[in-house]
Amino acid sequence: MIDPPSIGTAQVTEVACIADPVPAHPLLDGLSELGRGEASIVLDAGDDERVFKVVSSPADYYYLAAEDRPTGVHFPRLYADHGIIGKASNGYSFRLLEIERLLPVSGAAEALGRRLSEAYWEGCEKWANLGENRGRLALYHIAQEPPPDFPASLVDAIVALSDFIEGYPVQPDILNPDNLMMRADGTLVFSDPVFLP
């Protein structure tokens, strides 16, 4: 059995990043790249408030831009969906989203993120016999019986995320520390908590 990755430790497994070049688009010309994920590229919009996120996974697109996506204090704010801007090497369309700029977790947000990841991992271990659906069940149980130290706003966000996951062909992914970020005010944000199985 593998150990769970935890925020702020060296246990995190390195994730392969998308190798595609940044697609040509007038909104992206000359922008600095801030980072890459398995299926996304993030570029600095230049105002310290927004980023352009080029996504190549339907899971990321559903989560960030679907009409029925989860919204609220613990979810990223979408400013604009600029549509399809090319095709990725994984076969999916590249979509360009303009979202709020988030920061790596630290302080209280890091502690809360670590606590959430630990609770989620405990649930995944408990439901391990369910294979890929163990994450869904672990998240559902956290939503139904949250740890008593979780703020009400986080519990509401977990419920919303669990409901969203039930409606889409995605799985939760809140063990990767890069999938939890924060706003400048210290609010924990589910930046990228889903993936396609």
Side-chain angles (χ1 to χ4, degrees), residues 148-172:
D149 59 330
F150 280 13
S153 64
L154 182 61
V155 173
D156 291 345
I158 293 166
V159 170
L161 180 59
S162 180
D163 289 348
F164 173 79
I165 287 169
E166 289 306 311
Y168 282 85
V170 299
Q171 293 287 340

Side-chain angles (χ1 to χ4, degrees), residues 105-151:
V105 292
S106 63
E110 182 178 8
L112 185 57
R114 184 180 301 113
R115 179 72 184 97
L116 173 59
S117 291
E118 289 168 357
Y120 178 73
W121 179 253
E122 289 169 13
C124 287
E125 285 186 314
K126 181 178 181 180
W127 303 104
N129 63 328
L130 294 179
E132 78 175 25
N133 286 316
R134 69 180 182 235
R136 284 177 182 257
L137 198 53
L139 192 65
Y140 173 80
H141 279 280
I142 294 172
Q144 298 304 307
E145 297 177 25
D149 59 330
F150 280 13

Side-chain angles (χ1 to χ4, degrees), residues 11 21 28 44 52-53 57 68-69 75 77 85 92 117 123 138 142-143 149 173 191 196-197:
Q11 291 179 316
L28 305 179
D44 188 353
F52 289 104
K53 188 166 186 175
S57 167
D68 59 347
R69 70 188 181 277
F75 297 103
R77 294 181 185 113
I85 63 167
Y92 292 113
S117 291
I142 294 172
D149 59 330
D173 184 10
S191 60
L196 288 177

